[in-house]
Amino acid sequence: MTTKKSKHHLIGAHVSSAGGVFNAPLRAAEEGCEVFQFFTRSPQGGKAPELTKEIIADFYKNVEAAQLVRWYTHAPYFVNTGTSEARNRMYTLEVLRGEVERGCALGVTGMMFHPGSTGGREDRFEAYKEANKVMNEILDGYKGSCKFLIENAAGAGSVIGAGFTEVGILWKGLKHKAKAGICLDVQHAFASGYDWRTEAGLNAMLKEFDELVGLEHLVVVHANDSMVEFNARRDRHQHIKQGKIGAAAFTRLVNHPKLKHADFICETPADKRKEDVAFLKKVRKG
């Protein structure tokens, strides 16, 4: 099975895959999703569950039943492409390569991941160099259809990949750009110094992204409001309309002509996430 094209960007959410990945499409349908994101394994650690032929078949059956056309996965949080430790490096390589391969088996459009941290290095640029080595090694010889998506960070502590300058360094260091793309988390951007609450601020953010990375490489927008104030350098998601960014900003975001090609996925708390998806669908024009 291959994913289908749609006439406009799709709106959805990250949903639970508890009990098996085949449950994720049905949960996405319950939340009114047109597109969905999920974990194929625990984000905190442990061995990845086997994807048997039966599990994969049930996943596709439920995707068809839910009439969904695209879906994404998120890598576990513990990977660190910038690590200075050989053991962590090998583990990151194994997990990320394994996740894109698992994504291929499930027809996933793209797998996003957090680049990681400096791993104790004093020189941040050494961490970028290591991150690029790891990413290039993962993609060397990779012929699958699941894209490798770099996600921007909120910028806490020694985390790498926060501002678009850093994302641009990571992107430009990739040898296999055709196999990769970018996931823009707007809460992370807000927390790392991009105040896009006004039309001028949004345009400035996208202009900088385009100059340093390239909007044509943007595949997914994580549409999350923020629990924390502007430039707080913390990764804290909130429901749309309840955070520090606000409904008007998200209305402009979802209708911006330069973002029509990117899917929108909410990673907001589960209790009212369905309402976040409904809001974005309601205000989307065209």
Side-chain angles (χ1 to χ4, degrees):
M1 179 178 175
T2 58
T3 54
K4 303 173 185 177
K5 292 183 178 180
S6 60
K7 63 182 179 180
H8 52 59
H9 59 194
L10 303 178
I11 293 170
H14 182 105
V15 298
S16 171
S17 57
V21 294
F22 46 81
N23 289 319
L26 300 180
R27 291 180 177 130
E30 290 171 357
E31 295 191 23
C33 295
E34 301 165 340
V35 61
F36 68 103
Q37 177 183 299
F38 63 104
F39 291 115
T40 77
R41 59 187 292 165
S42 169
Q44 306 299 343
K47 184 179 178 181
E50 182 183 1
L51 293 178
T52 64
K53 290 182 180 179
E54 293 76 17
I55 288 173
I56 294 171
D58 285 344
F59 177 85
Y60 283 128
K61 180 184 71 175
N62 289 344
V63 162
E64 290 283 3
Q67 298 183 328
L68 294 158
V69 298
R70 279 199 295 277
W71 45 95
Y72 298 85
T73 57
H74 198 301
Y77 299 133
F78 53 79
V79 297
N80 184 8
T81 61
T83 183
S84 59
E85 298 180 8
R87 184 176 179 181
N88 287 345
R89 184 183 195 276
M90 291 303 298
Y91 191 44
T92 293
L93 279 166
E94 177 186 344
V95 170
L96 289 179
R97 183 58 185 265
E99 282 302 291
V100 290
E101 295 289 0
R102 287 161 70 82
C104 291
L106 294 168
V108 170
T109 297
M111 178 213 69
M112 60 279 299
F113 69 100
H114 298 170
S117 70
T118 59
R121 289 185 174 87
E122 293 184 7
D123 186 345
R124 291 181 67 83
F125 288 95
E126 287 301 314
Y128 301 144
K129 290 178 183 177
E130 178 60 26
N132 276 131
K133 288 179 183 177
V134 169
M135 289 187 278
N136 285 327
E137 191 170 337
I138 290 166
L139 294 176
D140 281 342
Y142 171 64
K143 301 184 184 303
S145 57
C146 177
K147 286 205 167 189
F148 196 66
L149 305 180
I150 301 170
E151 180 179 343
N152 64 306
S158 61
V159 165
I160 61 175
F164 300 153
T165 297
E166 294 187 10
V167 175
I169 291 171
L170 296 173
W171 177 254
K172 289 169 186 174
L174 281 182
K175 295 188 297 181
H176 309 287
K177 291 182 175 62
K179 303 174 184 178
I182 304 293
C183 169
L184 170 61
D185 188 308
V186 293
Q187 189 276 326
H188 296 176
F190 180 72
S192 64
Y194 296 90
D195 192 350
W196 56 275
R197 287 175 290 191
T198 65
E199 183 175 2
L202 173 58
N203 287 331
M205 178 179 76
L206 296 180
K207 182 176 185 290
E208 182 176 335
F209 184 97
D210 197 27
E211 291 172 348
L212 296 175
V213 184
L215 281 168
E216 69 272 22
H217 306 304
L218 179 62
V219 178
V220 175
V221 173
H222 278 165
N224 306 311
D225 210 324
S226 181
M227 285 186 181
V228 296
E229 298 289 350
F230 168 65
N231 208 25
R233 302 279 167 172
R234 295 174 67 201
D235 181 350
R236 295 290 185 273
H237 300 179
Q238 178 58 288
H239 292 296
I240 297 171
K241 299 188 292 184
Q242 294 184 20
K244 305 298 182 181
I245 299 172
F250 280 94
T251 300
R252 281 189 290 268
L253 184 78
V254 79
N255 290 302
H256 200 286
K258 292 186 177 180
L259 297 177
K260 290 294 185 182
H261 65 290
D263 288 328
F264 279 60
I265 294 175
C266 299
E267 294 179 313
T268 51
D271 60 339
K272 295 180 180 178
R273 189 170 53 217
K274 184 176 181 178
E275 295 178 20
D276 297 328
V277 173
F279 171 78
L280 291 179
K281 289 166 65 178
K282 180 181 178 180
V283 299
R284 176 181 60 191
K285 299 172 185 177

